[in-house]
């Protein structure tokens, strides 16, 4: 079966999770198009993804970056993160989980996390960068890949058990709309030592100081039952992905690596929480 047909079949099986980004109506699949009752039509791309975003993607993340990210992540830079997230998702429940990764980039996080789960799942990844979704559809089968803006996403309200938001921007109103009442959001944010070996080479000393306190504070205004899991380790960089490590982040754009990096520091907080529900007075 061609990639486009596989993608159409997968969307058809899960069409109740989608809604029209224009009128919020229900969607159906006709051949290789997704159509709402008001006839807003979105065609699947040959490469096996669907584009719901009518504007052109921002240019801050490109194909070279996503391909580099793919190779580095596949070599294991975030394996411990994936393992921890899979454990957290498994600990919540054992039913099939509808999982949506918002700002999924080239899709390796979603692929590796869903692969490790002890529960079945339906995995969907969305990103505003077409090059990210193209890369995701190229490498990862069995998951649905969508170009869309997380501010106005093409998914039905209240259908997702797990939202992933890894090193990406967020829109918490939209997140809460998408989450099932018992659903969880897992947001991954950098801590002060994250990628310090890269930042030391490209930033002035005073720019290198980073705290995630504001991000955390903003998050707490929207969610409750919050747990924070800190993950710190150093990853030994295989020589054949050293260049990829340099190109996987926009931090280094236009700059040359001055010194080879042997070990790279991963320093992250995984925040897991539920949406605040309106309580009866
Ligand atoms: C640092 S990258 C992280 C990508 C991926 N989660 C990872 O860790 O490899 C940030 C991602 O957020 C995406 N992004 C930024 N604004 C977005 C928006 N409004 N809607 C969807 N994705 C967005 C970017 O295109 C980019 O892929
Ligand atoms: Zn519509």
């Amino acid at each position: 079966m061609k990639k486009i047909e596989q993608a159409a079949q997968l969307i058809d099986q899960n069409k109740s999770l989608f809604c029209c980004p224009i009128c919020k109506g229900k969607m159906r699949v006709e051949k290789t198009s997704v159509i709402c009752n008001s006839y807003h039509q979105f065609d699947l791309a040959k490469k096996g993804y669907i584009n719901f975003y009518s504007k052109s993607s921002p240019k801050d993340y490109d194909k070279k970056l996503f391909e580099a990210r793919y190779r580095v992540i596949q070599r294991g830079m975030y394996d411990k993160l994936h393992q921890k997230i899979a454990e957290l998702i498994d600990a919540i429940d054992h039913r099939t989980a509808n999982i949506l990764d918002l700002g999924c980039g080239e899709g390796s996080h979603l692929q590796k996390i869903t692969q490790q789960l002890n529960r079945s799942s339906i995995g969907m990844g969305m990103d505003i960068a077409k090059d990210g979704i193209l890369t995701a559809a190229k490498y990862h089968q069995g998951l649905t890949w969508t170009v869309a803006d997380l501010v106005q996403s093409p998914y039905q309200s209240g259908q997702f058990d797990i939202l992933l938001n890894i090193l990406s921007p967020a829109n918490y109103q939209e997140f809460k709309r998408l989450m099932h009442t018992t659903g969880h959001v897992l947001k991954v944010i950098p801590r002060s030592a994250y990628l310090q070996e890269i930042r030391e080479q490209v930033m002035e000393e005073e720019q290198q100081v980073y705290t995630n306190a504001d991000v955390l504070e903003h998050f707490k205004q929207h969610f409750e039952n919050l747990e924070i899991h800190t993950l710190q380790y150093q990853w030994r960089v295989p020589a054949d992905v050293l260049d990829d490590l340099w190109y996987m982040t926009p931090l280094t754009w236009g700059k040359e690596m001055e010194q080879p990096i042997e070990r790279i520091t991963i320093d992250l907080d995984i925040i897991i929480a539920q949406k605040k529900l309106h309580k009866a007075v």
Side-chain angles (χ1 to χ4, degrees):
M1 203 191 281
K2 289 182 187 155
K3 269 201 155 168
I4 188 169
E5 292 163 356
Q6 279 175 12
Q9 196 179 58
L10 210 51
I11 294 178
D12 194 35
Q13 283 163 8
N14 301 305
K15 58 179 177 282
S16 63
L17 298 181
F18 285 91
C19 75
C20 174
I22 299 168
C23 70
K24 299 289 171 206
K26 288 188 177 163
M27 305 296 270
R28 65 179 185 280
V29 177
E30 282 184 14
K31 291 190 179 154
T32 53
S33 298
V34 183
I35 306 170
C36 76
N37 291 340
S38 308
Y39 297 99
H40 297 125
Q41 179 170 336
F42 304 89
D43 298 332
L44 272 108
K46 271 197 196 132
K47 304 258 164 89
Y49 67 91
I50 184 151
N51 192 345
F52 284 106
Y53 188 61
S54 51
K55 302 177 206 154
S56 55
S57 298
K59 296 278 173 265
D60 38 358
Y61 295 90
D62 64 1
K63 192 160 183 283
K64 183 177 178 185
L65 178 146
F66 286 119
E67 288 282 350
R69 238 179 146 75
Y70 169 77
R71 286 188 290 269
V72 171
I73 301 175
Q74 291 298 324
R75 287 301 292 274
M77 179 160 156
Y78 296 97
D79 278 3
K80 289 187 180 167
L81 174 69
H82 303 142
Q83 198 184 338
K84 183 69 197 171
I85 291 180
E87 274 171 22
L88 290 169
I89 296 176
D90 278 335
I92 292 169
D93 203 322
H94 58 270
R95 287 171 308 164
T96 299
N98 291 342
I99 303 179
L100 176 61
D101 185 352
L102 298 123
C104 65
E106 52 62 61
S108 293
H109 295 312
L110 182 63
Q111 176 241 339
K112 287 189 158 240
I113 291 165
T114 50
Q115 234 173 31
Q116 284 181 50
L117 290 177
N118 287 324
R119 57 194 286 198
S120 56
S121 64
I122 294 164
M124 305 207 161
M126 63 93 84
D127 200 287
I128 205 167
K130 192 171 156 190
D131 283 335
I133 293 300
L134 254 171
T135 316
K138 175 172 158 191
Y139 293 118
H140 313 299
Q141 271 84 55
L143 301 160
T144 301
W145 303 109
T146 300
V147 182
D149 186 350
L150 58 76
V151 175
Q152 221 186 354
S153 69
Y155 304 100
Q156 285 291 351
S157 303
Q159 296 298 314
F160 289 92
D161 305 295
I162 304 289
L163 296 187
L164 297 175
N165 184 229
I166 304 176
L167 304 167
S168 292
N171 181 293
Y172 297 138
Q173 289 305 343
E174 184 67 355
F175 283 21
K176 289 189 284 189
R177 181 185 75 76
L178 295 167
M179 286 166 80
H180 190 273
T181 42
T182 61
H184 289 75
V185 56
L186 281 93
K187 183 169 175 64
V188 177
I189 54 176
R191 289 165 45 87
S192 59
Y194 182 61
L195 305 185
Q196 67 184 4
E197 296 78 4
I198 294 181
R199 284 187 291 115
E200 276 162 15
Q201 292 198 36
V202 296
M203 287 177 174
E204 300 297 330
E205 217 161 295
E206 59 275 16
Q207 287 179 301
Q208 291 172 27
V209 183
Y210 170 80
T211 153
N212 63 24
D214 289 351
V215 179
L216 202 53
E217 202 40 56
H218 185 212
F219 185 91
K220 283 181 183 166
Q221 288 167 15
H222 294 269
F223 299 100
E224 63 184 6
N225 300 334
L226 199 110
E227 284 174 25
I228 299 173
H229 300 265
T230 298
L231 194 62
Q232 281 173 315
Y233 58 91
Q234 284 204 317
W235 185 64
R236 186 197 285 274
V237 184
D240 61 325
V241 290
L242 181 58
D243 283 344
D244 288 327
L245 177 78
W246 192 254
Y247 291 117
M248 72 179 280
T249 160
L251 286 175
T252 58
W253 274 12
K255 300 187 174 105
E256 293 296 317
M257 197 188 315
E258 286 162 12
Q259 272 180 332
I261 298 167
E262 281 175 19
R263 287 171 176 274
I264 186 84
T265 302
I266 304 295
D267 186 18
L268 299 167
D269 277 334
I270 307 167
I271 325 169
I272 175 164
Q274 294 188 283
K275 64 178 166 183
K276 284 187 181 168
L277 298 175
H278 296 294
K279 296 194 176 84
V281 185

